[in-house]
């Protein structure tokens, strides 16, 4: 561990998180804004669903660690929401189980520290016409249901949540500008995600505040 020790932000999720430090990715945007203020850790695993996440919570977020994150941003849902296959050979997780898995994630994270802050990102929308996979069939209306369920569960748990389906659809050309392959994000899509996260970080009345201007700059 290099020092001095800074607050830690952890990005936890599937490929939307794994690729978030790619070309103008949303993780990279946050890292730039919080440069010299926060250390950002990426824990993204392509192809994972909420079921995978629950299985490794104790390994990714050990309760006995002396230093716990100040913020965890969680994204799962894009793989959970794929249409189920008769042979079960894809990442589909039924909606009810997805909600309970996200609840388990929330409970575990809350148990780490009284000061930890959590933001859940819902499944983002998709461009069905751009998707080419015959193995994982995805439908926009299903993604919207998973997004709404994630936000509703978060509200019940007192957790900040962002409905990315709603956020993307505010932009007229979201289908053609936000995705590289129908689901993964272009710089335009990543900018929307970063903007929505920053709204939460700057508008929340958390104490201590995680507003970028409220955090000290290292060796300023």
């Amino acid at each position: 561990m290099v020092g001095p020790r800074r607050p830690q932000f952890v990005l936890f999720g599937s490929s939307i998180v794994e690729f978030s430090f790619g070309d103008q990715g949303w993780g990279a945007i946050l890292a730039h804004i919080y440069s010299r203020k926060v250390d950002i850790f990426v824990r993204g695993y392509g192809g994972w669903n909420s079921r995978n996440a629950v299985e490794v919570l104790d390994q990714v977020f050990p309760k006995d660690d002396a230093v716990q994150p100040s913020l965890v941003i969680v994204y799962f849902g894009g793989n959970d929401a794929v249409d189920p296959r008769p042979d079960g050979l894809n990442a589909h997780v039924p909606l009810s189980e997805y909600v309970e898995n996200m609840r388990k994630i929330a409970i575990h994270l809350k148990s780490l520290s009284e000061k930890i802050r959590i933001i859940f990102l819902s499944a983002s929308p998709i461009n069905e016409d751009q998707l080419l996979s015959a193995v994982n069939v995805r439908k926009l209306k299903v993604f919207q249901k998973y997004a709404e369920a994630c936000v509703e569960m978060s509200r019940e748990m007192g957790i900040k949540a962002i409905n990315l389906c709603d956020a993307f659809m505010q932009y007229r050309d979201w289908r053609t500008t936000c995705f590289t392959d129908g689901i993964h994000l272009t710089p335009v899509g990543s900018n929307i995600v970063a903007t929505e996260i920053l709204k939460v970080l700057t508008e929340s009345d958390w104490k201590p505040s995680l507003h970028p201007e409220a955090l000290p700059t290292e060796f300023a």
Side-chain angles (χ1 to χ4, degrees), residues 12 50 53-54 57 61 63 72-76 97-114 116-121 149-161:
F12 181 46
S50 62
V54 168
L57 281 175
F61 300 101
K63 289 188 177 183
V72 181
I73 300 175
V74 180
Y75 172 95
F76 288 101
E97 181 188 347
Y98 165 72
V99 170
E100 288 310 306
N101 288 341
M102 297 300 283
R103 193 185 309 276
K104 290 175 183 177
I105 294 171
I107 291 170
H108 182 86
L109 294 177
K110 281 189 163 189
S111 74
L112 299 177
S113 166
E114 292 182 358
I116 196 168
R117 303 300 179 226
I118 305 165
I119 301 174
F120 274 9
L121 306 179
C150 176
V151 172
E152 178 60 30
M153 185 281 302
S154 300
R155 186 178 297 114
E156 294 171 3
M157 296 286 294
I159 291 173
K160 301 290 186 181

Side-chain angles (χ1 to χ4, degrees), residues 68-201:
Q68 296 292 351
S70 297
L71 172 71
V72 181
I73 300 175
V74 180
Y75 172 95
F76 288 101
N79 293 314
D80 300 71
V82 302
D83 281 6
R85 282 168 51 105
D87 57 14
L89 296 179
N90 68 359
H92 171 75
V93 172
L95 181 59
S96 59
E97 181 188 347
Y98 165 72
V99 170
E100 288 310 306
N101 288 341
M102 297 300 283
R103 193 185 309 276
K104 290 175 183 177
I105 294 171
I107 291 170
H108 182 86
L109 294 177
K110 281 189 163 189
S111 74
L112 299 177
S113 166
E114 292 182 358
K115 295 182 179 179
I116 196 168
R117 303 300 179 226
I118 305 165
I119 301 174
F120 274 9
L121 306 179
S122 81
S124 53
I126 55 172
N127 181 349
E128 294 172 327
D129 296 333
Q130 199 176 5
L131 292 169
L132 300 176
S133 174
V135 176
N136 295 318
V137 177
R138 293 172 163 94
K139 297 186 178 77
L140 176 58
K141 64 180 181 181
V142 176
F143 270 54
Q144 290 176 290
K145 289 181 180 179
Y146 277 69
E148 291 165 0
C150 176
V151 172
E152 178 60 30
M153 185 281 302
S154 300
R155 186 178 297 114
E156 294 171 3
M157 296 286 294
I159 291 173
K160 301 290 186 181
I162 298 169
N163 188 325
L164 291 181
C165 281
D166 287 351
F168 275 58
M169 290 178 184
Q170 293 178 19
Y171 295 82
R172 185 180 59 184
D173 298 325
W174 66 269
R175 282 186 174 85
T176 56
T177 61
C178 289
F179 310 109
T180 61
D181 56 4
I183 186 167
H184 295 106
L185 304 178
T186 63
V188 173
S190 275
N191 189 64
I192 293 173
V193 176
T195 297
E196 293 298 318
I197 292 171
L198 286 167
K199 284 180 185 178
V200 175
L201 293 173

Side-chain angles (χ1 to χ4, degrees), residues 30-93:
L30 294 178
H32 175 70
I33 291 171
Y34 282 90
S35 176
R36 297 178 62 184
K37 297 172 181 284
V38 166
D39 285 328
I40 298 182
F41 295 84
V42 178
R43 296 296 181 267
Y45 308 93
W48 276 32
N49 57 25
S50 62
R51 191 180 293 160
N52 299 126
V54 168
E55 292 173 352
V56 301
L57 281 175
D58 289 321
Q59 298 174 63
V60 179
F61 300 101
K63 289 188 177 183
D64 58 356
D65 264 15
V67 178
Q68 296 292 351
S70 297
L71 172 71
V72 181
I73 300 175
V74 180
Y75 172 95
F76 288 101
N79 293 314
D80 300 71
V82 302
D83 281 6
R85 282 168 51 105
D87 57 14
L89 296 179
N90 68 359
H92 171 75
V93 172

